[in-house]
Amino acid sequence: MLHDPNHVYIFDTTLRDGEQVPGCQLTTPEKVEIAKELESLGVDIIEAGFPVSSPGDFLSVVEISKAVKYPTICALTRANKGDIDVAVEALKYAKTPRIHTGIGSSDMHIKYKFNSTREEILERAVEAVKYAKKSVEDIEFYAEDAGRADVEYLALMVESVIAAGATVVNIPDTNGYCLPDQYGSKIKYLKENVKNIDKAIISVHCHNDLGLATANSIAGLQNGARQVECTINGIGERAGNTSMEEVVMILKTHYGMGLNSTINTKHFYELSNMVSTMMRMPVQPNKAIVGANAFAHSSGIHQDGFLKHRENYEIISPDDVGFPNASIVLTARSGRHALKFHLARLGHHLDKGELDLTYKTFLTLADSKLNITDEDLLMLVGAGKLV
Ligand code: KIV
Ligand code: ZN
């Protein structure tokens, strides 16, 4: 497959891995609406569902395939003919369909999930890819729990499925177990030791159980992977998947890495809100990139530095991700500079003496009140007879 060696394919799995979260289930029309937004965002691949899992998921894959034009539409299967047949059927309207099939690769999964052997699992993996390839050209293979798999066995599995026709090989850290250097080394090993690895794209799929999903995905990309599987807001099983907005903004901020995506980052904030609302899953306020506090400056030291030059404390412009505005939040940790800024915003330009006086009263109030409002500020300047 020919591709720009620096292009990172963005594979969104909000509607599959993300939607597996209890309480986050979506209707088919809601999924179609999100899929259209993902298309506007510029994702390369949308994993639309796991068609054999339920009639609703099957229908969603059908409807998304009809509604979406540019991204590849991907459907998940286990490594068996029944699942693959249903996925092929669900994808029949997709302009560019992809089957995502796979099986466990760690000894833990081989023994305790499949009660099987490495040899048998390898055979099933190859058979599944060959079977899917008869109906769909683009086949992605996932080696589930690759994060804990023996790397030599993993390499053999990856080499075998590429020989069988896989175009993308997904190396999931299913349990979010790896450290970034371990995960990165695994990708590097595959890159250096698998015959014909350049015939396929290596994909990273990291879960967030130790809070390392984004770091591990980046380590994978730095070691040769060129597809990243992620979700909006990092939603997903247990502690979640890699957050798309984090990975994409890392690539943009650290442009020196030389990796790029075609994501229109200005849509992030809006899409984050849409997904959060539809899935009934609030975004934590300190969530990177899209959390309510992601661009809020609250301590005096930071506020003063920000007001002198915003880049002192801002590595991403809120505008770049469609965030309404950076904010200077007034708290008991704020300094005179922030107070002066807000009073000026309200039309009150204080000299040094007036500011010192007002700041004292402000601190007393801020120690006893969580949110300082514009009304509070006006009351303060009124009380100080400065208006
Ligand atoms: O986490 C995982 O291993 C998965 C696979 C099904 C790709 O979601
Ligand atoms: Zn997953």
Side-chain angles (χ1 to χ4, degrees):
M1 188 188 288
L2 274 182
H3 62 100
D4 168 2
N6 297 323
H7 178 73
V8 174
Y9 290 88
I10 303 297
F11 176 114
D12 178 87
T13 185
T14 307
L15 301 174
R16 199 280 296 169
D17 221 339
E19 208 246 357
Q20 288 175 204
V21 176
C24 287
Q25 274 68 25
L26 298 170
T27 62
T28 295
E30 284 172 331
K31 287 189 192 173
V32 170
E33 209 180 315
I34 292 179
K36 285 182 177 165
E37 290 302 317
L38 290 168
E39 179 171 44
S40 306
L41 183 69
V43 306
D44 299 285
I45 302 108
I46 295 174
E47 187 162 51
F50 181 13
V52 84
S53 66
S54 76
D57 227 35
F58 180 91
L59 182 65
S60 297
V61 176
V62 171
E63 294 304 324
I64 291 170
S65 298
K66 288 181 189 167
V68 163
K69 197 166 165 192
Y70 297 108
T72 292
I73 303 299
C74 180
L76 186 81
T77 82
R78 290 165 298 186
N80 67 59
K81 291 183 178 175
D83 278 25
I84 294 170
D85 287 341
V86 174
V88 169
E89 178 65 17
L91 285 169
K92 72 177 172 207
Y93 297 104
K95 282 99 204 151
T96 39
R98 175 183 293 181
I99 296 276
H100 189 190
T101 191
I103 200 160
S105 62
S106 65
D107 288 331
M108 171 74 71
H109 276 214
I110 292 171
K111 186 164 178 204
Y112 296 110
K113 188 171 157 184
F114 296 102
N115 188 23
S116 187
T117 61
R118 285 186 178 189
E119 293 69 28
E120 250 177 45
I121 292 292
L122 191 60
E123 226 171 88
R124 284 170 65 176
V126 168
E127 254 179 47
V129 172
K130 282 190 178 160
Y131 185 72
K133 193 80 178 176
K134 288 184 192 163
S135 308
V136 173
E137 169 51 34
D138 190 6
I139 306 297
E140 173 167 344
F141 176 82
Y142 65 85
E144 197 183 6
D145 202 20
R148 293 189 298 175
D150 171 68
V151 75
E152 286 177 22
Y153 177 68
L154 182 63
L156 176 63
M157 186 178 249
V158 167
E159 191 166 300
S160 308
V161 296
I162 292 174
T167 42
V168 181
V169 283
N170 177 11
I171 314 300
D173 186 18
T174 304
N175 292 292
Y177 167 77
C178 291
L179 294 172
D181 70 315
Q182 293 170 333
Y183 190 70
S185 303
K186 217 156 214 176
I187 302 296
K188 187 169 191 277
Y189 183 90
L190 297 176
K191 201 74 192 148
E192 290 174 353
N193 292 284
V194 168
K195 209 190 309 156
N196 288 327
I197 190 70
D198 292 334
K199 282 193 173 170
I201 291 168
I202 300 180
S203 184
V204 293
H205 178 118
C206 298
H207 280 266
N208 204 31
D209 300 66
L210 293 173
L212 290 169
T214 298
N216 285 343
S217 296
I218 295 294
L221 295 176
Q222 286 175 314
N223 282 282
R226 285 296 176 268
Q227 176 177 285
V228 59
E229 310 198 0
C230 47
T231 60
I232 298 295
N233 298 336
I235 198 159
E237 286 269 357
R238 306 181 307 278
N241 285 65
T242 301
S243 145
M244 187 200 298
E245 56 278 9
E246 291 173 15
V247 169
V248 169
M249 291 316 290
I250 288 170
L251 299 185
K252 198 171 160 119
T253 306
H254 290 272
Y255 55 87
M257 282 163 63
L259 300 177
N260 49 64
S261 76
T262 46
I263 297 295
N264 181 354
T265 62
K266 285 183 188 284
H267 290 214
F268 274 144
Y269 185 64
E270 196 190 337
L271 190 48
S272 160
N273 282 327
M274 181 181 172
V275 167
S276 162
T277 307
M278 279 190 183
M279 288 190 157
R280 299 160 290 274
M281 179 64 94
V283 176
Q284 70 192 61
N286 62 328
K287 166 82 180 62
I289 318 295
V290 290
N293 291 346
F295 299 95
H297 305 276
S298 54
S299 84
I301 295 173
H302 288 213
Q303 291 176 335
D304 179 58
F306 178 83
L307 289 167
K308 284 174 175 152
H309 192 302
R310 55 194 303 152
E311 285 179 29
N312 279 328
Y313 287 98
E314 192 174 83
I315 59 161
I316 297 168
S317 161
D319 188 48
D320 278 354
V321 294
F323 200 94
N325 253 323
S327 55
I328 304 285
V329 186
L330 287 176
T331 70
R333 306 291 150 260
S334 298
R336 285 173 181 72
H337 200 161
L339 180 63
K340 187 177 174 190
F341 166 81
H342 277 290
L343 289 174
R345 181 176 58 75
L346 295 171
H348 295 276
H349 301 276
L350 274 53
D351 66 25
K352 188 172 176 316
E354 291 168 335
L355 184 63
D356 283 348
L357 201 68
T358 312
Y359 183 62
K360 263 193 182 165
T361 342
F362 161 77
L363 281 185
T364 312
L365 181 68
D367 264 337
S368 62
K369 200 164 184 280
L370 279 183
N371 294 312
I372 303 293
T373 63
D374 284 356
E375 287 68 34
D376 291 329
L377 294 179
L378 291 171
M379 188 273 293
L380 280 181
V381 284
K385 304 209 181 345
L386 298 169
V387 283

